[in-house]
Structures are given as C-alpha cells and as structure tokens.
Amino acid sequence: MTFKFKSLKNKIIEYIKFNVIGISNFFISQLIYLYLFLHLKIYYILAYTLVSIFSVCASYFLNSKFTFKEKKYCPKKFSLSALVYIIEYILNMGIIILLVNVFDVSKVLAPIISPLISTPPVFFMMRAVIKDSVHS
C-alpha cells in the first residue's frame, strides 16, 4: 500500500509541476501573442502558430528537466513531444476557431480558454513520451 501511495504522490507532484511550468509558459506565450496580434497586427491564427512553436520548445525542455527529471535531452523524445503538441495545437486551434466564429468570443480571450480543455490529456501524453515509454 505504501508503494502505491508513494507512486500516486509522485505522479500528483509531477502533475503539479507540469501545471506550474504550463501556466508560466502560458502567460509568457499569451503576452507574446498579444504583442504580435495587438501591436504588430499579425493575423491571430499566424500569431497563435508562432507562439505555439516557441511554447513547444520551452515546454519540452522545462518539463524534461524540472517535471520529469530527465538527465539528458533526446532528439527522439523532442520529436515525439512536438507531435504531442501538434495534437494539442490542432485541438486548441479548433477550439479557438469555434469560440471566435461560432460563439463570438474575443480573439484575445479564445486562446486563454482553449488550454483548459487540452491540459490533462497533454500531461499524460507528455509523461508517456518523456518518462515512461521512450528510452533513448
């Protein structure tokens, strides 16, 4: 029983760290998005795409080192994590477009709302990529 509790506790701690990094990354990304969209007048989908590329790289390196405590970076794991974030990007972009075009949500607010849906599945996919299933 102690072993299972410790394992569950470690996974909860990882999830908390994942969210702390994700929230930090999210706020920085949103500031960059707002700058690109509002100040540089870049089309919102292009601005979101550019920010997503930055966010994918930052997320992989930060989660590898701090959340899942990997000792070294691996190109194969980076590629697989990029694939996870492509899935997240597609999901988020669909939600953003739906929110903007169907529900008339602001182009500023839509990217803030969409990650609320995508974060839990992305955590489990990233954990599998970085920690569990792929060994370098």
Side-chain angles (χ1 to χ4, degrees):
M1 184 69 168
T2 306
F3 177 74
K4 288 183 181 183
F5 177 74
K6 186 174 182 179
S7 176
L8 177 62
K9 179 182 171 189
N10 289 341
K11 287 179 182 170
I12 291 170
I13 290 169
E14 282 180 346
Y15 188 70
I16 291 168
K17 287 179 181 180
F18 181 81
N19 279 291
V20 168
I21 288 170
I23 289 167
S24 302
N25 193 3
F26 174 77
F27 280 117
I28 292 167
S29 296
Q30 289 307 306
L31 290 173
I32 295 169
Y33 169 78
L34 291 172
Y35 180 76
L36 294 173
F37 176 65
L38 296 174
H39 295 290
L40 297 182
K41 307 294 185 207
I42 294 176
Y43 183 62
Y44 79 103
I45 291 176
L46 178 58
Y48 182 77
T49 301
L50 293 171
V51 166
S52 294
I53 292 167
F54 164 78
S55 182
V56 165
C57 295
S59 182
Y60 169 74
F61 290 110
L62 292 171
N63 279 309
S64 290
K65 182 164 179 84
F66 298 110
T67 303
F68 304 116
K69 299 189 187 296
E70 288 293 302
K71 302 289 188 236
K72 60 181 181 168
Y73 300 113
C74 170
K76 183 177 181 179
K77 289 181 184 183
F78 178 78
S79 298
L80 289 172
S81 69
L83 181 61
V84 169
Y85 284 113
I86 289 170
I87 294 166
E88 181 192 32
Y89 170 82
I90 292 168
L91 175 63
N92 282 333
M93 186 53 67
I95 293 166
I96 290 167
I97 290 170
L98 183 73
L99 289 172
V100 169
N101 294 322
V102 175
F103 296 104
D104 201 31
V105 173
S106 160
K107 293 173 184 169
V108 171
L109 291 178
I112 294 171
I113 296 168
S114 64
L116 297 173
I117 296 167
S118 63
T119 298
V122 168
F123 166 76
F124 291 109
M125 288 187 284
M126 284 300 293
R127 186 176 201 291
V129 165
I130 294 175
K131 190 165 183 112
D132 292 340
S133 64
V134 181
H135 302 289
S136 20

